[in-house]
Amino acid sequence: MFCQVRSLGLHGVTGYEVRAECDLSNGLPAFDVVGLPDAAVKEARNRVRSAVKNGGFTFPVSRITVNLAPADRRKEGTVYDLPMLVGILAAGGQLPPPEPDAAFVGELSLAGGLRPVRGMLPMALAARRAGITTLYVPADSAAEATLAGGLTVYGVHDLEELAAHLRGEKPLAPATAWTPPEGSMSLPDFADVKGQDQAKRALEIAAAGGHNLAMIGPPGSGKSMLAKRLPSILPALSEREALESTEIHSVMGLTSREHPMVEARPFRAPHHSISSTGLSGGGSPIPKPGEISLAHNGVLFLDELPEFHKDVLESLRQPLEEGKVQIARAAASEEFPARFMLVCAMNPCKCGWYGHPSGRCRCSEGEIKRYLGKLSGPLLDRIDLYVEVPALEFEELARKSAGESSADIRKRVEGARAIQTKRFGPDGPECNAHMGPKELQAYCALDQNCRAVMEGAFQRLGLTARSYDRILRVARTIADLDGAEHIEVPHLAEAIQYRESPYFRR
């Protein structure tokens, strides 16, 4: 007796079809799972056996072999519990064979209930690509599965409910497509920030053009507070961006029944003790995404930048240039999306008070150089804007009036992004920070006056070719915020100003 059940699996952040081939034959009772299963898949034998008995069925007294095809691809996780169970019961005649365009995904409890699984969205998208039209999933994962569209999704609570549906005794109602709740998500507002007008201006420019930014200042000056409010002025996620981000978060188990979709731009702030694997991704045998991929389409905030390990910081170089991270392992290689805004915060020295009028700093010049020297030139060259965040004066802290709200700043940012979308078209870069050589030549041409300003800055600051291009991109963003068609001297001068940090000149 043989039955084949369609299912789905995960490889990195991509789903693919898996077929559970279940065979019941004569011989001594045994239950074997083949097809490169990992430990969690092998343990499914015990979960399936208990779920069958506690669900009111009879476990076959036969030699049971389950092959998870394709057999040359390693299988991970608990998603194959349900297709194994359905295949065994259908092969034994206790359930009708499933429809050929139906697939099953889910983890079983010993009592026969279904638990949610990770990576439901990428698996649902893979089901749609494979021509599957009906998907049976745990009830808590149904909302996420509906995000793929084009599928009839049934949310199942337990084995008894599934059996009644497959027999036609009590059909289940398909899950309704999930839609975001009304009202925007509450995000920290820039109105809470007192003073720091220059830093706010730099963050506005960074948001308008998708630029990387570094803030330097003493402890308590508001660097982290400013960074956490950056998502509140970024444009809303497009449908494509939301699905891309949700796929990654789903694989890492960061979605839920109540919030199956990433609704706001991600903001990730890993601790400085994180490893390079934790930041970039990795693991064995199949690599998993890291923090930079979880920040895809959003913000990666690195507080206390010099405290991160050198290998961790250097792992940022490729993703910042290419918008993706490549993980190579002996067993498998993966490529994860990593298009994010890098926002850094740091103190000017180890104690944090270098240059403060109070004279509290006790660091020697050598200690300051060693502290700042932890950051390599190639990494610093990939940051577009440097802004100082000084300690606030008493008058600014005591001021009762609120600052400009995020909503007002966001309107200007969205206006600048709209100009960029119209300029580049649907197939071009998403924002100014992603312009390539062709776009730089077409949209960042300098007149004679601007050329003279740039030439002086190039010689004075010792700029590299990369930093030259980044200044042009920032100047183009400033011009877009002003609604100017061409880059003018004030736009270029402001962009150059953000490279003239007394701490870093790259």
Side-chain angles (χ1 to χ4, degrees):
M1 294 173 285
F2 174 82
C3 181
Q4 179 176 264
V5 179
R6 300 178 80 176
S7 185
L8 300 149
L10 281 174
H11 190 87
V13 295
T14 306
Y16 66 98
E17 183 182 358
V18 174
R19 294 178 183 256
E21 302 170 343
C22 304
D23 179 70
L24 276 62
S25 59
N26 296 328
L28 292 174
F31 188 174
D32 296 318
V33 180
V34 296
L36 287 183
D38 72 348
V41 179
K42 291 178 181 178
E43 290 171 354
R45 295 174 298 183
N46 297 321
R47 292 191 294 272
V48 169
R49 190 188 302 272
S50 296
V52 166
K53 293 179 179 179
N54 294 326
F57 294 89
T58 301
F59 193 80
V61 183
S62 306
R63 183 172 186 82
I64 303 171
T65 304
V66 177
N67 177 45
L68 300 176
D72 62 346
R73 177 172 278 188
R74 184 174 292 277
K75 315 301 185 307
E76 285 188 322
T78 57
V79 298
Y80 308 109
D81 292 6
L82 184 59
M84 285 187 198
L85 182 145
V86 172
I88 291 170
L89 293 183
Q94 299 185 66
L95 281 179
E99 295 294 325
D101 61 351
F104 298 78
V105 171
E107 176 187 335
L108 290 167
S109 72
L110 298 184
L114 266 71
R115 294 194 174 100
V117 294
R118 294 185 176 190
M120 192 67 254
L121 177 57
M123 287 191 288
L125 291 170
R128 193 179 67 182
R129 292 193 297 268
I132 294 167
T133 60
T134 305
L135 196 56
Y136 294 90
V137 302
D140 287 345
S141 298
E144 186 176 326
T146 63
L147 298 176
L151 296 170
T152 301
V153 179
Y154 291 102
V156 183
H157 290 91
D158 52 43
L159 179 56
E160 181 181 357
E161 190 176 71
L162 176 63
H165 172 82
L166 295 176
R167 290 168 177 161
E169 299 169 356
K170 191 177 180 181
L172 292 168
T176 56
W178 184 85
T179 54
E182 294 184 4
S184 59
M185 296 184 65
S186 177
L187 295 172
D189 200 295
F190 268 97
D192 303 329
V193 181
K194 297 184 178 181
Q196 306 298 9
D197 293 334
Q198 184 179 8
K200 291 178 185 177
R201 169 66 175 173
L203 285 164
E204 180 180 338
I205 295 169
H211 303 290
N212 303 321
L213 176 142
M215 294 181 285
I216 305 106
S221 58
K223 302 184 295 295
S224 300
M225 187 178 187
L226 286 162
K228 291 175 181 177
R229 281 151 179 77
L230 179 57
S232 68
I233 63 173
L234 289 172
L237 286 168
S238 65
E239 182 179 357
R240 177 186 60 80
E241 290 175 328
L243 288 175
E244 287 178 354
S245 297
T246 301
E247 284 186 85
I248 301 168
H249 282 68
S250 175
V251 168
M252 300 304 291
L254 300 177
T255 56
S256 64
R257 180 173 185 171
E258 295 76 20
H259 300 285
M261 190 173 188
V262 176
E263 301 173 59
R265 292 194 178 270
F267 181 87
R268 305 295 300 181
H271 190 261
H272 60 74
S273 61
I274 191 171
S275 65
S276 58
T277 299
L279 190 70
S280 300
S284 181
I286 300 177
K288 293 291 191 297
E291 287 291 333
I292 59 176
S293 293
L294 288 169
H296 181 59
N297 294 319
V299 177
L300 177 67
F301 176 50
L302 302 184
D303 199 7
E304 304 296 342
L305 185 66
E307 300 299 334
F308 285 80
H309 294 289
K310 185 177 180 62
D311 61 327
V312 174
L313 295 179
E314 294 308 304
S315 67
L316 289 167
R317 288 162 61 173
Q318 181 210 16
L320 286 173
E321 286 294 317
E322 301 179 7
K324 60 185 179 182
V325 58
Q326 293 176 318
I327 307 295
R329 296 290 183 269
S333 297
E334 283 295 325
E335 182 178 289
F336 301 128
R339 182 71 73 182
F340 58 90
M341 287 177 60
L342 175 65
V343 177
C344 310
M346 58 176 292
N347 298 326
C349 65
K350 186 72 175 178
C351 74
W353 296 102
Y354 176 70
H356 193 269
S358 64
R360 295 170 63 179
C361 179
R362 294 293 183 267
C363 299
S364 67
E365 289 296 325
E367 290 173 330
I368 295 171
K369 287 182 179 179
R370 282 193 297 272
Y371 181 73
L372 299 178
K374 295 179 180 179
L375 308 176
S376 70
L379 175 62
L380 296 174
D381 215 19
R382 288 165 169 80
I383 296 175
D384 303 310
L385 299 97
Y386 292 92
V387 60
E388 290 187 59
V389 185
L392 290 173
E393 300 295 335
F394 175 78
E395 290 76 11
E396 292 176 305
L397 289 171
R399 190 184 305 161
K400 294 183 178 180
S401 59
E404 188 176 21
S405 69
S406 292
D408 292 337
I409 301 174
R410 186 173 182 172
K411 289 178 182 177
R412 297 195 294 270
V413 169
E414 290 176 338
R417 287 288 185 110
I419 293 172
Q420 295 163 43
T421 300
K422 182 179 179 181
R423 177 192 299 133
F424 300 134
D427 299 325
E430 296 178 1
C431 56
N432 287 337
H434 303 161
M435 282 192 291
K438 185 174 73 172
E439 290 82 16
L440 281 170
Q441 186 174 4
Y443 306 117
C444 298
L446 302 180
D447 60 22
Q448 188 173 357
N449 292 332
C450 289
R451 283 174 58 88
V453 172
M454 179 60 92
E455 183 178 2
F458 193 90
Q459 300 298 332
R460 185 177 72 257
L461 301 177
L463 300 177
T464 65
R466 181 185 288 114
S467 55
Y468 173 81
D469 288 346
R470 289 184 178 273
I471 287 175
L472 291 181
R473 294 186 181 105
V474 173
R476 180 67 265 176
T477 299
I478 297 171
D480 290 340
L481 285 168
D482 280 354
E485 184 176 355
H486 302 288
I487 296 174
E488 300 172 2
V489 170
H491 308 141
L492 187 61
E494 185 176 2
I496 293 171
Q497 168 198 314
Y498 292 117
R499 305 291 300 191
E500 293 190 281
S501 169
Y503 308 105
F504 308 113
R505 292 187 176 180
R506 296 278 189 263

